[in-house]
Amino acid sequence: MASPRPSPGTTRGARVWDVPIRLFHWLLVALLGFSWWSGEQHLMDWHRLSGLTILALLLFRLYWGLVGSPTARFARFVRGPHAVLAYVRGQDATRAPGHNPLGGWSVVAMLVTLCAMVGAGLFAVDVDGLESGPLADYVSFDQGRLAAEIHGWVFNALLALVAVHVVAIVFYLVRGKNLTAQMITGRSQLPDPRPGAIDDHQAWLWKAVLGAAGAAAIAIAVARGFRF
């Protein structure tokens, strides 16, 4: 007689993050580091390519926040001031998987900052007018210079947000919640309450492919300055 198989709920944590979200997160981390390095080294062709790839990632994330898996949707984790205050006071009884009410707004702040940085970079022009973003032809030289300055200012703001993000990760790690591991494996340390359930990302695969194709098409159009 065969021995009973162990319950999936006791061997695997609950699924929290789907594959598209995890790919977005780690690609963004890598590309931000590369963008900083290429900018410091004045490798502007690579810097522009990296920025355009980040643009495609952001477009995909905005799309995925509307149609993606439950924990990826803005409607799931962007909550009002009352919910945020309740969480800060330890009075939030929902404990839904994914971003908490405070973390949800940090995600919004990060995405808005990234969009502002990339958007400014598209119109930026250097001091000599030799290097510029793909949409710089649509603005004057002075406006392009202002866009370049905004690009730098917003990057500094982004560094501050990243620092807060890292502090939050360390804070939760000390409290026994490894957020980095969750973003790698897609699962929490808590048992899966749905033994035998199909991984969520399979149900959203076709939407992810469609969104990635659309985001890439828009980024390519921007790279061409909308000239075909």
Side-chain angles (χ1 to χ4, degrees):
M1 180 176 178
S3 58
R5 297 178 61 184
S7 169
T10 62
T11 59
R12 304 182 74 188
R15 177 165 290 282
V16 179
W17 305 118
D18 58 31
V19 172
I21 282 293
R22 284 180 279 154
L23 285 175
F24 165 82
H25 182 276
W26 294 115
L27 284 173
L28 183 61
V29 170
L31 285 168
L32 285 175
F34 182 78
S35 291
W36 170 82
W37 175 82
S38 57
E40 289 294 306
Q41 299 300 318
H42 303 289
L43 301 173
M44 300 313 296
D45 287 343
W46 287 108
H47 189 74
R48 278 188 292 268
L49 179 60
S50 181
L52 288 165
T53 308
I54 292 174
L55 171 63
L57 284 177
L58 291 173
L59 290 170
F60 175 82
R61 182 62 184 93
L62 295 176
Y63 162 84
W64 203 242
L66 299 176
V67 304
S69 56
T71 54
R73 296 191 182 191
F74 299 126
R76 172 73 170 267
F77 63 80
V78 179
R79 302 172 65 187
H82 179 75
V84 174
L85 287 175
Y87 175 79
V88 172
R89 294 171 180 171
Q91 300 171 347
D92 181 17
T94 58
R95 301 297 179 185
H99 296 298
N100 60 56
L102 186 60
W105 280 106
S106 71
V107 170
V108 171
M110 188 79 72
L111 290 175
V112 169
T113 304
L114 284 166
C115 288
M117 184 182 70
V118 173
L122 297 177
F123 296 92
V125 179
D126 72 353
V127 176
D128 300 320
L130 299 177
E131 299 288 353
S132 61
L135 303 183
D137 290 345
Y138 291 94
V139 299
S140 67
F141 177 78
D142 289 340
Q143 290 171 332
R145 287 300 303 143
L146 177 60
E149 293 180 6
I150 293 174
H151 186 66
W153 297 336
V154 177
F155 177 71
N156 291 331
L158 178 64
L159 289 179
L161 288 174
V162 170
V164 172
H165 184 65
V166 172
V167 169
I169 290 173
V170 174
F171 171 77
Y172 282 107
L173 182 62
V174 170
R175 299 185 65 183
K177 189 173 183 179
N178 193 333
L179 299 180
T180 302
Q182 288 185 19
M183 193 55 69
I184 293 173
T185 65
R187 294 182 178 277
S188 70
Q189 294 96 331
L190 298 176
D192 192 337
R194 307 162 303 158
I198 298 175
D199 287 346
D200 291 337
H201 77 270
Q202 294 180 8
W204 308 99
L205 180 59
W206 69 270
K207 291 183 180 180
V209 172
L210 181 63
I218 295 173
I220 291 172
V222 171
R224 293 174 175 267
F226 297 108
R227 297 181 178 89
F228 301 97

